[in-house]
Amino acid sequence: MTRVRRAGALAAVVLLLSGCASWGLTQREWAATLEASDGVVSADWRYQNNWPSSSPRYDATIVVERGVTVDEARRIADASCATETRIDGLTIRTDDAPASEGTDDASGSEGSDEAPAEGSVELRTERSCASRADLERFAGAVDALNRLPDATGVRFSVDRTARHDGAGAKQLTVRVTAPDEEALGSILPALHEAAGDDGLALTAERIGAQGGAGTTVEAILPPGARMDDLMSLFALATRIDHRRISLTDASISVSASSTAAAETDAAAELAAAGARLGIDTRVAFDTAGASGEAGGSDAAGGSSASGADAEAARAAALERLTEVPGGAVVEHVAVGGELSVRTQGAGGVEAAVRIIAETPELGGEYRVHAPESDGLFWVAIRAGSPAPDVADAATRSGLSMRERIPSIDRTIVSLTGDEPELTVYLRDSSAESVAAARGTLEEVAASGVFGEVRLAADGIDFDDQVVPAP
């Protein structure tokens, strides 16, 4: 293969010109040894002083050819260990990855987080000596990338330490960046084949994220996994509105983005296909990842049995939320980490708020919405607080604003602080409208239901929004 030999040239020239030719000798020797290896495009290093905030560092980058073979990878590993030198951080990557030039100063920057157009593979490790096993896995991932029908926007980050399952079997462990889940339909089989007898552990996060959280796919696939069957089920799973898909050789689990998504025809189709293939399927909505909660852990910090009780209580409460008067849908909010409960009327709002207040096992923060046709209204509440009677009183009072203030635009009841708060926004900011609304809110403030009452409208400064009791 064609080789490019720079032998740390840039670093060496800078050092010679500065009169410090004896400095960095072992690093230069290490880089020269690597650049003499087949499959290596370049080996560069740089020194960062970091004084006085931290200790100095030597970071190095080995860029390999896109067609690097397993045999070449083994020899590159041997070459990296042939010279004893100090390297604190080593990155090995394909020549399509964005590489920063090796220098001896602290002004260099790391490569871009975005995968290049043609895809890339990366392995990061500590010290100068890379293990054969890690480089073999790296080469396997490169081969998998090369076999993709389209590698645009794809990046594989290979774990430097092989994970072990209960039997101690090693796995090819890869974090994947992919533009969409459709691309994973090719990536998963290719990486599984590259893993061979080791099996595959894959994580892909923020798939398709465009200002939101995106989706996550996780797979633990041993040798011999039925990839054709699993990929057919995976394709069906992606049709469900979801946040996460998890695969093993015997199961596929979908974390739906809402309670409604878990009950769709697509979910039923996945279940039927799984039954035909003898692969377990599960589609369910859960609150894991909601702001302020740990996603199914035992709120009391007790035993696994009590944790199971908490999970059962949460599942029951979620079902009750969907069955409030008029029905409701519970869903994850794309940005902010809250859970949204969309009801069909005032009765549904009151019932949902009470369920959340009296069920700490639900975990997280919620916004309970009234139908937008009735004017914007929501209650912000944290599971398990405040006391249900306090939540009831604040919710009823907030709901009454839509009838008592004709010019209202939206109403927000916040139950997440030490005391309930009410904020009313007006769409009509005329003096008459503001005066009428202020009079009504003074009565509300005097009731003692809220610790703070605010009136917001064009022309009212934030500091002047608080409405005191008369």
Side-chain angles (χ1 to χ4, degrees):
M1 289 188 177
T2 303
R3 296 194 302 272
V4 179
R5 294 186 177 90
R6 290 190 293 177
L10 181 57
V13 169
V14 173
L15 292 171
L16 287 169
L17 291 176
S18 65
C20 300
S22 62
W23 184 79
L25 286 176
T26 59
Q27 284 81 11
R28 278 179 275 165
E29 181 183 353
W30 175 84
T33 300
L34 279 161
E35 287 194 336
S37 301
D38 287 336
V40 174
V41 176
S42 64
D44 294 315
W45 60 275
R46 66 187 184 120
Y47 171 77
Q48 287 185 272
N49 191 335
N50 294 329
W51 186 90
S53 59
S54 60
S55 301
R57 282 183 60 88
Y58 290 87
D59 290 297
T61 300
I62 302 172
V63 179
V64 302
E65 294 177 348
R66 179 71 173 260
V68 65
T69 67
V70 173
D71 285 340
E72 288 172 337
R74 293 190 187 105
R75 289 194 288 271
I76 292 169
D78 293 343
S80 74
C81 302
T83 302
E84 186 175 345
T85 188
R86 175 183 172 182
I87 296 293
D88 301 300
L90 172 61
T91 300
I92 304 168
R93 58 190 177 197
T94 58
D95 51 359
D96 287 321
S100 57
E101 294 294 327
T103 67
D104 66 318
D105 59 33
S107 61
S109 62
E110 294 298 326
S112 167
D113 285 338
E114 296 183 2
E118 296 302 319
S120 68
V121 183
E122 181 177 271
L123 167 69
R124 294 193 180 194
T125 185
E126 298 173 355
R127 308 187 186 283
S128 60
C129 182
S131 74
R132 274 193 165 201
D134 285 345
L135 265 295
E136 287 170 358
R137 296 185 185 94
F138 175 87
V142 172
D143 181 62
L145 183 77
N146 290 335
R147 288 189 282 110
L148 295 180
D150 183 5
T152 303
V154 175
R155 181 172 64 200
F156 299 157
S157 180
V158 181
D159 219 345
R160 69 180 179 88
T161 304
R163 297 197 326 202
H164 294 75
D165 62 19
K170 60 186 179 180
Q171 294 172 314
L172 171 62
T173 304
V174 185
R175 299 188 71 84
V176 173
T177 299
D180 51 50
E181 290 177 336
E182 183 178 357
L184 286 173
S186 300
I187 291 171
L188 277 162
L191 282 174
H192 184 259
E193 183 178 345
D197 293 338
D198 290 347
L200 173 66
L202 174 146
T203 301
E205 298 177 316
R206 294 183 56 77
I207 304 168
Q210 295 180 347
T215 60
T216 296
V217 174
E218 295 176 331
I220 303 293
L221 301 172
R226 297 154 52 191
M227 294 305 297
D228 288 345
D229 290 343
L230 286 170
M231 288 302 95
S232 68
L233 293 179
F234 177 75
L236 292 175
T238 61
R239 293 169 49 193
I240 302 167
D241 192 3
H242 65 278
R243 303 174 66 239
R244 179 185 300 270
I245 298 175
S246 300
L247 297 93
T248 71
D249 58 325
S251 67
I252 181 166
S253 177
V254 181
S255 176
S257 60
S258 70
T259 51
E263 304 296 333
T264 58
D265 292 343
E269 187 177 353
L270 174 64
R276 289 194 300 270
L277 295 171
I279 296 175
D280 291 337
T281 62
R282 176 183 180 270
V283 181
F285 173 80
D286 65 70
T287 61
S291 175
E293 66 92 32
S297 62
D298 178 15
S303 65
S304 58
S306 61
D309 291 342
E311 181 59 31
R314 179 166 62 171
L318 280 173
E319 185 172 357
R320 289 170 60 205
L321 281 175
T322 64
E323 296 174 349
V324 297
V329 172
V330 186
E331 61 188 1
H332 286 272
V333 177
V335 178
E338 298 169 320
L339 290 160
S340 172
V341 182
R342 298 198 174 274
T343 70
Q344 299 301 311
V349 172
E350 292 185 46
V353 168
R354 185 170 187 87
I355 291 169
I356 296 168
E358 64 188 13
T359 315
E361 293 88 353
L362 275 171
E365 295 184 1
Y366 292 74
R367 280 192 182 185
V368 182
H369 294 262
E372 292 187 9
S373 58
D374 295 338
L376 292 176
F377 174 91
W378 71 80
V379 178
I381 181 172
R382 185 176 292 113
S385 66
D389 58 339
V390 173
D392 287 345
T395 302
R396 285 195 298 270
S397 180
L399 286 167
S400 72
M401 294 300 100
R402 294 185 293 176
E403 296 179 356
R404 298 176 65 183
I405 303 177
S407 60
I408 202 165
D409 178 61
R410 63 188 184 274
T411 307
I412 300 173
V413 175
S414 177
L415 303 176
T416 60
D418 294 335
E419 293 183 297
E421 297 177 3
L422 172 68
T423 304
V424 169
Y425 294 81
L426 300 183
R427 62 175 177 271
D428 178 3
S429 57
S430 66
E432 295 81 3
S433 177
V434 170
R438 187 175 294 276
T440 299
L441 291 178
E442 285 177 351
E443 296 176 10
V444 174
S447 71
V449 173
F450 298 98
E452 183 174 86
V453 176
R454 284 183 172 271
L455 174 63
D458 290 342
I460 302 178
D461 293 337
F462 180 81
D463 291 339
D464 298 327
Q465 288 180 356
V466 175
V467 178

